[in-house]
Amino acid sequence: MPSVSVIVPNYNHAPFLEQRIGSILGQTFQDFELILIDDGSTDGSRSIMERYRNNPHVSHIVFGESNSGSAFLQWNKGITLAKGEWIWIAESDDYADDTFLKRLMTEVDRVSDCSLAYTATWWVDLRSSKLWDTPHSNHVNVYDGFHFIHKKLAVNNSIANVSECIFRRDRFLPAESHRYEHMRLCGDWFFYILLAQQGSVVEIDEPLSYYRQHNTNISSEAEHRGLTFLEGTEALDYMIKHCNLKVSNYARGWGRLWSRYEKQYDFDSEVKRQVKERMGHYPFIVFWHSLYRLKRWPRYLF
């Protein structure tokens, strides 16, 4: 059995596929299988994937008949096929340093109960040019899973994207997939919360993954409509109920986030209603939100 199953879910990313797959096959750590999944692409992605069918690392190439509309369904499809102890979901438009897997596998071998590990990332444009320098220390931090949730996931998702992560396959909980499969924007956040509940988290503060930014981004429109914040409240509800998260400790952060989203974006009226209804269960958050909405507020609030 391979140590790692690498899953590449793809939809219409033909211009980036060769770089993505090449950065996987060129890893210095070679004990992996490669699973290629296409979700009904119409841009020639399939013909590119077919070139790798006879590569000894490639264990599966799966073509969907039509687009499912959910990246998370494709994640789960790949996980079902995976045989490795660890899983790397390598998004098709991203790429990685050739030491990415070796660095992660070296560190997780030192933490027996690790369920999730990740590196820092570089943010790049369509031509693979870095958009800015990622601050980093190269330190390795190990967190108890619930401490990681409280420190890194309680108010927002501190993991830039799934391509910078690996996770232990036996810590994946398919019965909980319903919590994120319906999401379009915050499903990865929920995914990390579920994994962190199952064991320790290793953070390598060294950028070894490259996260590509596109000019047209589904999350941009969703943020303007308030849908990103609305989905995030589902994560908040779950953490309060299942992760010993005390809302009073994070009310200020959520109140500030809520206020800034409203000021920066034009929420749909229905989204506003749903957010207000959900947040109404948390008076401390409503209180801080009200303060941040004032036209003049004390500087210490920031």
Side-chain angles (χ1 to χ4, degrees):
M1 295 293 181
S3 295
V4 181
S5 294
V6 186
I7 300 165
V8 177
N10 174 73
Y11 177 64
N12 283 348
H13 280 156
F16 313 114
L17 266 178
E18 289 189 50
Q19 184 181 26
R20 167 80 278 182
I21 296 172
S23 77
I24 295 167
L25 297 177
Q27 289 292 303
T28 56
F29 181 94
Q30 285 282 300
D31 186 14
F32 65 85
E33 67 171 338
L34 179 56
I35 300 170
L36 303 175
I37 298 179
D38 186 77
D39 195 19
S41 291
T42 57
D43 67 344
S45 290
R46 294 188 178 197
S47 63
I48 295 173
M49 287 183 168
E50 281 290 353
R51 299 176 197 166
Y52 298 91
R53 186 171 291 277
N54 295 323
N55 186 285
H57 282 292
V58 175
S59 59
H60 300 278
I61 299 180
V62 180
F63 295 140
E65 291 303 318
S66 59
N67 181 250
S68 69
S70 169
F72 308 119
L73 287 173
Q74 303 312 302
W75 293 11
N76 290 352
K77 182 185 293 186
I79 295 169
T80 300
L81 297 171
K83 302 297 183 185
E85 179 184 6
W86 291 89
I87 291 178
W88 174 21
I89 297 176
E91 296 282 16
S92 55
D93 53 340
D94 301 327
Y95 57 103
D97 187 271
D98 59 7
T99 64
F100 174 81
L101 275 182
K102 184 175 182 179
R103 186 81 167 90
L104 280 165
M105 293 301 290
T106 298
E107 297 301 333
V108 299
D109 281 347
R110 296 171 178 164
V111 183
S112 60
D113 68 334
C114 179
S115 61
L116 172 67
Y118 70 104
T119 73
T121 194
W122 298 109
W123 300 64
V124 299
D125 63 17
L126 295 179
R127 297 183 178 181
S128 303
S129 298
K130 293 176 184 175
L131 294 172
W132 53 77
D133 286 332
T134 299
H136 59 280
S137 65
N138 293 351
H139 291 164
V140 177
N141 303 305
V142 180
Y143 299 90
D144 167 82
F146 282 93
H147 178 57
F148 181 80
I149 291 170
H150 291 197
K151 185 177 178 64
K152 298 283 190 173
L153 301 176
V155 179
N156 51 43
N157 179 11
S158 65
I159 300 177
N161 81 326
V162 72
S163 292
E164 67 191 58
C165 306
I166 64 172
F167 60 91
R168 198 184 296 271
R169 180 165 58 92
D170 63 8
R171 306 296 171 89
F172 168 70
L173 303 175
E176 297 294 322
S177 296
H178 68 281
R179 298 193 182 277
Y180 60 83
E181 281 183 343
H182 68 284
M183 293 181 168
R184 299 188 68 195
L185 307 155
C186 298
D188 53 348
W189 188 1
F190 228 124
F191 192 78
Y192 308 140
I193 293 169
L194 293 171
L195 285 169
Q197 286 182 276
Q198 306 303 310
S200 297
V201 178
V202 172
E203 174 191 57
I204 301 174
D205 191 22
E206 179 181 359
L208 296 173
S209 180
Y210 295 81
Y211 180 22
R212 197 181 307 275
Q213 301 300 290
H214 296 261
N215 294 329
T216 56
N217 195 319
I218 187 173
S219 62
S220 178
E221 178 188 354
E223 282 186 332
H224 280 275
R225 296 173 59 199
L227 296 176
T228 303
F229 185 83
L230 182 61
E231 278 196 1
T233 64
E234 292 188 47
L236 173 65
D237 288 341
Y238 180 85
M239 288 185 286
I240 289 171
K241 293 175 183 176
H242 301 282
C243 302
N244 301 319
L245 199 74
K246 292 183 179 179
V247 67
S248 57
N249 293 339
Y250 302 96
R252 178 173 172 174
W254 273 96
R256 177 169 51 195
L257 189 67
W258 182 6
S259 173
R260 286 185 174 177
Y261 260 89
E262 282 189 328
K263 288 177 181 294
Q264 187 172 356
Y265 304 120
D266 183 23
F267 281 21
D268 287 355
S269 57
E270 176 59 18
V271 171
K272 285 184 179 179
R273 184 194 68 77
Q274 291 185 51
V275 169
K276 187 174 181 180
E277 180 180 338
R278 289 185 186 178
M279 289 305 190
H281 297 292
Y282 308 118
F284 285 118
I285 295 178
V286 174
F287 168 76
W288 280 104
H289 170 252
S290 299
L291 284 183
Y292 280 113
R293 287 192 66 193
L294 294 174
K295 292 183 179 180
R296 295 181 179 178
W297 45 67
R299 286 189 175 182
Y300 74 84
L301 290 179
F302 289 93

